[in-house]
Amino acid sequence: MNDLLHIGGVSLHNRLFTGTGKFADHKEMKKAIESSQSQVVTVALRRVDINGRDEHILNDIPEHVTLMPNTSGARTAEEAIRIARLAKASGMGNWIKIEVISDHKYLLPDNEETIKATKTLADEGFVVLPYMSPDLMAAKRMEEAGAAAIMPLGSPIGSNRGIKMKEMIRIMIDEINLPIIVDAGIGKPSEAAEAMEMGADAVLVNTAIATAENPAQMAQAFDMAVKAGRMAYLSGLGPTTEKANASSPLTGFLTT
Amino acid sequence: MSFYHTYEQLKDLPFQELFSKITSLDVERVLKKDRLTRDDYMILLSPAAEDYLEEMAQRAHQLTVQHFGKTMQLFLPLYVSDYCVNTCKYCSFSVDNVFPRKRLTMEEVEQEAKAIRDKGIEHIILLSGESRMHSSVEYLKECMTVLKKYFSSVGIEIQPMDQVDYEELVNSGIDGLTVYQEVYNEDIYREIHTKGPKRDYRYRLDTPERGCRAGMRSVNIGALLGLDDWRKESFISGLHAQYLQDTYLETEIGTSFPRIRPNAGGFQPNVDVSDKNLVQAMLALRIFLPRVGITISTRENPAFRDDIIPLGVTKMSAASSTEVGGYTNPDDTQSQFEISDERSVDEIRNLLHSKGYQPVMKDWQII
């Protein structure tokens, strides 16, 4: 199946993006990333020892993957921009996942600040992937600002609650001309499959893999689910109805 | 706005009576809930909940792994000055205790920074006694010019300051503020803080808010357990944390559960707080506020610290020195309190790995 996802000049055949937080150790993280087959891995700059003084998280990320540093910890557009520039300057490539969160209770992203950061960083040549609260108008502004893909949350980050924002994400999939990557909230492989079946271009999964009892095996399960969901989407899902079709239709007498 | 208004509503509640009325049925009901109210939090702090510590621990563990992962942030305190103008009955730095006081020169700050950095530590807290003259904004900013070269996050635990002062410190790169109320009971507060500006209960209570407003990334609060009924003190400090979380969404709120340790003044705690009590206080808070940071210090002994790692703790110190200049010249001067856990950073790292936790040395970047 020649079904590639193109983002920022890179062609991806795997549509599961993974993260690097919350793992019990780097070895476990590395194994999970490998068995996920993931080609894009996000890493928080705040966790990277950019002066290379300590055990380096980047050493445990397989070389073939595209690094997507994120701006975790930024509370404003300005902080996100500074973190992005630091990431680039320290050799982490030019992809950036913008996370601007000024709410420590639910960790919901601030769309307005995210739009501002997207504009500045896209103008500077970054491949910008903004993490956002699903909202069509905000996504359109991010598209106009030069985003390379849009990353709406399925549910609050780390909540493992599934795709509670389904209807909003579906509208974005229909209306936005950029890849839509469902990020955050996916707790089970079946939910990843669900996102892919409805036409999401990729999903990002971190907590559900990192906090599983066997992260490597869970990563593989997610890989399979994402592939299955994508294949189902491409196969053209049949329409579904709430009720069974009546076996004695009321208009059966209208024969030609 | 101020938490003091909440405190005023709480202080005259008949806590003894309320706690004693709580039954095991109440506890079971709360343990089935997703979101807890204040009343639910009180139920988890009750004597009746003592029979449910295992269930509470399972829940607290699950919530902590979900929100923080299998990780533990490590940090060290750096004591820069032990000059203090207050008289606090329980503290060795108290102005009444006569010992040669010391403030580090910038060369000494750098030596201490190197010694801490050599242990692999990236996050530190600058500590001092409470003296506006000795640990002034200017002095702390000078320290920051040195410390920036060595660390990725620097917090402070010093005398309470005005918002403008905190703003200046934030601009210099300081990103965290720790200030313990010590005791929320205002009457006991006045009894044990006999002299000095620290007697101003209200100014201290409002300090975390001034830090939040000044743009501190993290603000850490807590009660020094052993000064009044721990259930009541835990309850009020938990509500203080909730108030700060709700009011200052941008700030990461953390809490600590310090228990009184032996000190130069020979102060005896007013109340005994057992290990079981401390664990209950911690579990109840984690279930009430799943995202709040919880720090456990080297005041606690190694075996107990090891056991409580999975119960909700998110930050630990290791190989701490609580004396000024203590990393380069141990046993030189007066320590603020005796530490129980003297294991090295490497020992703590190995311990965390063996327990299935990733020691996180760096979780911020001065930008």
Side-chain angles (χ1 to χ4, degrees):
Chain A
M1 196 164 62
N2 188 23
D3 169 38
L4 296 175
L5 171 60
H6 304 281
I7 297 176
V10 179
S11 300
L12 306 163
H13 57 79
N14 188 291
R15 291 167 182 268
L16 170 62
F17 292 17
T18 49
T20 50
K22 298 188 178 178
F23 284 94
D25 59 47
H26 288 178
K27 219 169 72 192
E28 201 159 72
M29 175 192 84
K30 189 178 183 185
K31 265 165 58 188
I33 294 173
E34 281 166 354
S35 71
S36 73
Q37 309 274 334
S38 192
Q39 293 176 287
V40 178
V41 171
T42 190
V43 54
L45 178 84
R46 64 193 287 179
R47 287 274 168 96
V48 179
D49 189 352
I50 52 179
N51 300 313
R53 292 179 294 214
D54 213 337
E55 52 184 82
H56 210 306
I57 194 168
L58 301 182
N59 295 339
D60 289 307
I61 297 176
E63 269 184 30
H64 66 272
V65 306
T66 298
L67 267 189
M68 177 168 66
N70 67 60
T71 65
S72 162
R75 298 170 298 181
T76 60
E78 197 201 323
E79 287 185 351
I81 292 164
R82 274 149 68 184
I83 293 172
R85 287 174 185 157
L86 262 175
K88 194 174 184 177
S90 53
M92 293 169 73
N94 69 336
W95 283 43
I96 192 80
K97 176 186 159 192
I98 300 180
E99 267 185 59
V100 181
I101 292 176
S102 50
D103 143 41
H104 271 280
K105 214 170 154 192
Y106 302 102
L107 299 180
L108 292 172
D110 181 330
N111 283 349
E112 203 178 324
E113 290 293 299
T114 304
I115 294 166
K116 282 189 219 160
T118 301
K119 172 90 180 92
T120 306
L121 292 171
D123 288 350
E124 290 181 15
F126 281 88
V127 174
V128 182
L129 299 97
Y131 169 61
M132 53 106 64
S133 282
D135 175 86
L136 181 60
M137 291 310 134
K140 275 189 183 293
R141 300 222 165 87
M142 289 172 195
E143 187 176 4
E144 284 161 20
I150 307 282
M151 306 186 75
L153 59 92
S155 289
I157 198 163
S159 69
N160 288 353
R161 294 170 83 95
I163 308 168
K164 297 281 182 209
M165 305 303 292
K166 195 168 178 177
E167 292 312 314
M168 294 300 133
I169 293 175
R170 192 195 304 279
I171 292 169
M172 288 173 52
I173 290 171
D174 288 346
E175 302 303 326
I176 301 290
N177 302 311
L178 291 174
I180 301 291
I181 302 162
V182 178
D183 184 358
I186 293 177
K188 301 197 248 322
S190 56
E191 292 158 359
E194 184 187 358
M196 297 308 293
E197 281 168 7
M198 68 190 243
D201 295 279
V203 297
L204 190 148
V205 180
N206 181 28
T207 304
I209 293 175
T211 64
E213 275 189 29
N214 184 340
Q217 194 167 307
M218 186 59 85
Q220 195 186 353
F222 268 103
D223 175 41
M224 292 160 81
V226 168
K227 288 192 167 97
R230 178 66 183 173
M231 196 183 277
Y233 171 73
L234 293 176
S235 312
L237 287 167
T240 54
T241 60
E242 292 284 312
K243 297 187 185 104
N245 289 321
S247 50
S248 313
L250 296 174
T251 53
F253 63 94
L254 296 174
T255 48
T256 48
Chain B
M1 255 197 317
S2 164
F3 181 69
Y4 191 69
H5 304 309
T6 312
Y7 172 74
E8 281 185 310
Q9 292 161 12
L10 295 171
K11 66 176 181 182
D12 295 322
L13 288 179
F15 279 95
Q16 292 287 358
E17 196 191 323
L18 291 172
F19 277 125
S20 65
K21 275 190 187 159
I22 294 165
T23 66
S24 54
L25 275 177
D26 293 325
V27 182
E28 285 171 21
R29 183 180 53 75
V30 171
L31 286 173
K32 290 196 185 90
K33 286 179 74 170
D34 263 352
R35 282 184 208 173
L36 272 62
T37 63
R38 283 178 178 201
D39 291 348
D40 297 334
Y41 177 43
M42 182 175 257
I43 287 169
L44 295 184
L45 286 168
S46 69
E50 283 182 17
D51 295 337
Y52 294 85
L53 290 185
E54 181 56 32
E55 288 88 336
M56 286 169 68
Q58 296 291 347
R59 180 79 186 279
H61 173 68
Q62 177 259 321
L63 285 169
T64 312
V65 170
Q66 184 186 336
H67 292 297
F68 295 88
K70 297 170 192 165
T71 65
M72 186 74 68
Q73 168 75 52
L74 295 184
F75 72 96
L76 279 183
L78 168 51
Y79 280 74
V80 290
S81 161
D82 51 21
Y83 286 92
C84 191
V85 295
N86 294 310
T87 306
C88 309
K89 288 185 177 174
Y90 52 85
C91 179
S92 306
F93 285 178
S94 202
V95 68
D96 291 353
N97 294 328
V98 181
F99 65 94
R101 306 269 168 170
K102 184 172 169 54
R103 183 177 87 163
L104 297 183
T105 64
M106 287 309 126
E107 289 73 39
E108 289 167 328
V109 168
E110 184 136 22
Q111 278 171 11
E112 289 281 283
K114 279 183 185 155
I116 295 176
R117 194 41 250 181
D118 283 347
K119 297 171 192 277
I121 290 289
E122 289 263 7
H123 287 211
I124 59 163
I125 297 183
L126 273 188
L127 277 107
S128 72
E130 301 199 353
S131 164
R132 280 171 61 181
M133 202 167 80
H134 295 94
S135 33
S136 61
V137 173
E138 287 66 36
Y139 175 74
L140 295 165
K141 278 166 66 179
E142 215 185 330
C143 289
M144 261 322 272
T145 57
V146 176
L147 297 171
K148 260 186 179 173
K149 293 185 280 183
Y150 296 91
F151 302 106
S152 51
S153 170
V154 181
I156 45 169
E157 188 175 339
I158 53 166
Q159 72 279 2
M161 288 180 168
D162 293 340
Q163 187 179 330
V164 286
D165 296 331
Y166 287 141
E167 281 165 6
E168 246 187 272
L169 293 177
V170 166
N171 286 335
S172 78
I174 285 170
D175 56 36
L177 170 67
T178 296
V179 60
Y180 298 140
Q181 187 60 26
E182 319 291 15
V183 62
Y184 282 87
N185 182 322
E186 201 170 352
D187 299 330
I188 296 179
Y189 186 92
R190 298 203 124 250
E191 265 167 44
I192 56 176
H193 301 105
T194 51
K195 272 184 250 152
K198 194 169 175 179
R199 269 179 78 72
D200 189 341
Y201 176 92
R202 177 73 192 266
Y203 187 71
R204 192 170 189 90
L205 190 71
D206 289 341
T207 306
E209 298 197 47
R210 292 195 298 276
C212 292
R213 283 199 290 264
M216 290 284 179
R217 302 187 57 81
S218 63
V219 167
N220 197 31
I221 62 163
L224 186 52
L225 297 180
L227 295 173
D228 189 16
D229 173 23
W230 68 270
R231 295 183 203 277
K232 183 179 151 193
E233 285 290 309
S234 302
F235 181 68
I236 300 176
S237 67
L239 294 191
H240 192 185
Q242 184 196 35
Y243 166 86
L244 293 169
Q245 263 192 348
D246 288 351
T247 315
Y248 302 98
L249 287 174
E250 288 194 2
T251 318
E252 240 178 274
I253 305 300
T255 51
S256 299
F257 292 89
R259 276 193 287 189
I260 293 185
R261 292 284 306 153
N263 58 88
F267 178 80
Q268 288 304 310
N270 297 331
V271 189
D272 271 339
V273 183
S274 68
D275 288 357
K276 193 175 170 184
N277 298 153
L278 182 60
V279 164
Q280 187 180 354
M282 203 172 87
L283 297 175
L285 182 74
R286 167 58 68 230
I287 299 171
F288 179 51
L289 302 176
R291 283 196 189 278
V292 83
I294 296 182
T295 305
I296 200 86
S297 83
T298 43
R299 287 165 187 260
E300 300 298 340
N301 73 56
F304 182 63
R305 272 173 36 117
D306 294 0
D307 288 337
I308 60 175
I309 286 170
L311 303 187
V313 182
T314 57
K315 282 186 192 177
M316 287 175 88
S317 52
S320 302
S321 166
T322 64
E323 57 191 87
V324 177
Y327 294 104
T328 23
N329 297 302
D331 303 323
D332 197 24
T333 47
Q334 175 71 46
S335 64
Q336 191 191 15
F337 56 85
E338 290 175 23
I339 64 168
S340 287
D341 188 348
E342 302 194 0
R343 288 174 295 182
S344 70
V345 174
D346 280 342
E347 284 173 287
I348 296 288
R349 284 167 84 140
N350 291 337
L351 165 80
L352 289 169
H353 280 305
S354 75
K355 292 205 157 237
Y357 279 77
Q358 182 189 160
V360 173
M361 312 309 277
K362 177 175 180 296
D363 194 28
W364 183 236
Q365 175 74 45
I366 296 175
I367 51 173

